[in-house]
Amino acid sequence: MSTERNTFSFSAIVGQETLKTALLLNAVDPRVGGVLIRGEKGTAKSTAVRALAAVLPPIRVVDGCRFSCDPDDAAALCDECRARSESGPLPVASRRPRFVDLPVSATEDRLIGTLDLEHALKHGERRFEPGLLAAANRGILYVDEVNLLDDHLVDTLLDSAAMGVNIVEREGVAFSHPARFILVGTMNPEEGEVRPQLLDRFGLCVEVEGLASPGDRVEVMERRSAFEDDVTAFRMAWAPQERALELRIATARGRLPSIHAPRDLLFLIANVAADIGVDGHRADLTMSRAASALAALEERDVPDAEDVRRVAPLVLAHRVRRKPFEDVSFDQMRLDSVLSQSRGEEGDGTPSPDSRSGESPADGAASARLAVLGRAADPERGPAGDLSERLVTPLDGTRRSGDGRRQETRSDDKRGRYTRAETPRPGQPVDIALDATIREAAAHQTSRSGDMAIRIEPVDIRTKVRKRRVGASIVFCVDASGSMGVSTRMEATKAAVLGLLVDAYQRRDRVGLVSFRGDDAEVLLPPTSSVELAQLKLRSMPSGGATPLAAGIKASLELLDAESRRDAKVVPWLVLVTDGRANVGIDGGLGSEDARTMASKVREKGVNSVVIDITEGTSAVSAARELARLSGGDYVRMPRVTGQDLSGAVRQRLEAV
Ligand SMILES: [Zn+2]
């Protein structure tokens, strides 16, 4: 929860009109369904969201309610308020809605709430300990890097957001409370995509970019330093604009119930959604709500075609149907042509886009092509820290336990699905499974005494066994040296990378590519789950020159090390495409010797590996086979390598049961 005093002013944010509009539409009508903000780091994303919370009009709440119940909505009261209301009218207080930050590492208990263990043990009563969903009720729930959130948390979050209620039924507690919030997620497409199912559940989506105009950039700097120099003075200076904006939101909210989209506008919306090509009906409903909210925000009583034109990119960009590899972005031209066609067909007499003056917040988006695509950014995300030291810890130990197979792995960090309970092993941190613990204790109650309602002894304690789906991180390490067949080899590898990424969403896999040529290795693609990003980065793949095989393996291991620091459970895979011959070593060392040393490191680090031998002809002695032996991995001969064979060889090993 933010202290408003230290928050930047929403009105003081320079540019980013599309983002501001998307946030304001949700402020006017939370049923618009939240915003997914895509963009690189350092682009005012979280600043804008925090600042929005500070201009949301105050709400009336039941005083003392842990769930911020609305005293004017008797039907949506929490169980506690319902009980209280039976003995008289509920006390009312007024305060600003909260800004709640959901960290990516949050546990399920933290999100949905849990049984208050202390209370249960002391008083023998079940009492619910609220989680972040409770704190966020009627406010903003903010998830930075929502694409990195665990699947089961995402499902819980979206279910609550859709129903407006959090229902907890576990550990013998059944509890429900209202959970209506504006869901705002941010993501950097460089870090991997959001599952398509999740994408569609966000009402609006905006792509945020840095500002291009030098004038704007200077203004950003000036306002930033004014803010940092003296927060109080800065907020005072912007207070009139902030209060005016707050009033505008409050007025729009008041106006909203009387705003109804005319039937011909609904036809227009349906035509647009169908023509642009989106599945389901969620987009239609969102577009209609967003158009009404925009009209309300601009003090008009009837939304029109121009409102639809302005909100459509926000609603449709992330919902456009596309096939893998299809380079699709949302196209304003297409939208405009659909709109004018529909208008022609319907003859509904709604004003044309030009007939109303005033700025159009979505215009910037139109010219910037509200792309669904991840954009290229600096591939500077290398592994941090000293490789030789860091590599040993995260990759050792359990790495091999799954034979490199992708699976649901036991999770020891309180993340993941609770599957069963067991007696804790000595030294193991206890993630208490209350249901199982109480069941265990229940059997002994008659033989125990004390002032507790239920007497639990250490032997009763059971710990939760949680399972979490983990993906594989697969790094291809490819010989890009020489000239014979190198371009075929590179194309085949690219095809294999893209092939493996097509359904990476479901499997949580990430794929990267390192090439080695000349005197060093190059990370062409840091591990990603994004097909779009892979396509973009692998557009050109330089080849030719000498063969620094050892440097290639070293760079690959560094990437995999970074991957396991990101998620200790990830299954690391190295796919080495080589003939095993190396003529350049590391720091002037002997090429072949350094390569063998690095191959042994692969085994030491517990990285799973496959060596794809591209040696032509039939030679009994193969340097590549020797590397496979040293790295402890599989060996596959593939003199004429194709993308399909390559991805097939990898997939087969990942899926092997
Ligand atoms: Zn309540």
Side-chain angles (χ1 to χ4, degrees), residues 113 125 145 154-155 169 306 356 395 418 455 554 568 582-583:
E125 285 171 8
E145 299 190 307
V154 166
D155 293 337
E169 276 171 1
E306 172 62 5
R356 211 172 64 212
L395 291 181
Y418 170 27
R455 187 148 172 102
K554 183 165 180 280
N583 58 19

Side-chain angles (χ1 to χ4, degrees), residues 268 271-272 275-276 309 330-345 353:
L268 176 68
N271 276 335
V272 168
D275 269 46
I276 297 283
R309 191 185 74 82
F330 188 81
D331 189 340
Q332 185 77 33
M333 301 270 285
R334 169 103 184 273
L335 173 67
D336 285 341
S337 94
V338 174
L339 276 171
S340 57
Q341 264 175 31
S342 296
R343 271 200 293 271
E345 285 165 21

Side-chain angles (χ1 to χ4, degrees), residues 32-35 199-205 286 314-316 318-319:
V32 165
V35 191
L199 207 55
D200 171 60
R201 302 279 284 269
F202 279 96
L204 310 179
C205 177
T286 305
L314 303 173
V315 178
L316 298 174
H318 57 304
R319 292 189 165 96

